[in-house]
Amino acid sequence: MLVFFNGQITDQEKVFISPFDRGFQFSDGVYEVIKYYPKRFFELDAHIARLKNSLNALEIPVPNLDNFKQILEELIARNNLVNSPANIYIQISRGYQFPRRHNFSPDVKPTFFITVEKYLSPEEELANGVKVGLEEDIRWHRCDIKSTSLIPNVLSKHRAAQKGLSEIIWHRKGNITEGTHSNICFIKENSLFTPPLSNFILPGITRKVVLNLCRQFDIPVNETEININGLKEFDEAMILGTVTEITPVIKFEGIDTNLKKPGPICRLLQREYKKLCYE
Ligand SMILES: Cc1ncc(COP(=O)(O)O)c(C=O)c1O
């Protein structure tokens, strides 16, 4: 596989990062995940804007992104992915710093790494829905930054996988925030409900696209707190993400809900989202 590393496209086997890179020492970095659909980078400008926000929030210098799209195009082409959907992972750490110190010096140069991988659409999950679990959200209070410090996400997702669940949905004191790698929304009486943007959730780009679709199709949108005790009220639920797309949720482990199978609004949103990706 060919990857982008610090200004060059090169073979993945030729890439080495020092153990003194602050990404390794402190999880000191940010990332983005962008989807390529033949032949478009989905919501590229929104992803670049969020990447810049994350970098600025962590005081990591923003690299020159003038030729960013050309780099992505070249990676897709040279990895023979032009005709298939692909996930693009962008990782930027604060960079190499020796000796190891918590505080960072201004002359540290960020480490910039991009990989692409073929995306195999999980048709079964998109069609029939997934089961999720609920856990308390123990993350820090800046979940709006797409930081590579993902230990709570990693551990919750690992527990989910061990139990045969696709995702863990977190809550803070009973109020739902988001999933380990997705935002969440619900439908009640043909209206959409989703937790409001705040420092407790990532401003998901799929979420934004879905809310725009709702406005276009006259589906009322409520960005409001959702308590785990009220889950029984909802007719539909979906998890949303660049990789997850719009995946119906049919069960919350251990909770009696009315979800059972994907509903009509989920189907409408999936259909319209697909058009935006492919047409
Ligand atoms: C914690 C978290 N929330 C939400 C999302 C969804 O964001 P997006 O739709 O921009 O991919 C992700 C995506 O990876 C995520 O990691």
Side-chain angles (χ1 to χ4, degrees), residues 195-214:
L197 292 183
S198 74
N199 54 313
F200 292 122
I201 69 169
L202 188 76
I205 288 160
T206 318
R207 176 187 182 281
K208 173 187 73 97
V209 171
V210 164
L211 296 197
N212 285 342
L213 282 174
C214 286

Side-chain angles (χ1 to χ4, degrees), residues 31 47 50 139 146 153 178-183 202-207 240-242:
Y31 75 112
H47 282 284
R50 190 171 66 187
R139 297 174 301 162
K146 205 159 166 67
N153 311 55
E178 61 180 341
T180 67
H181 62 285
S182 59
N183 292 114
L202 188 76
I205 288 160
T206 318
R207 176 187 182 281
L240 315 172
T242 296

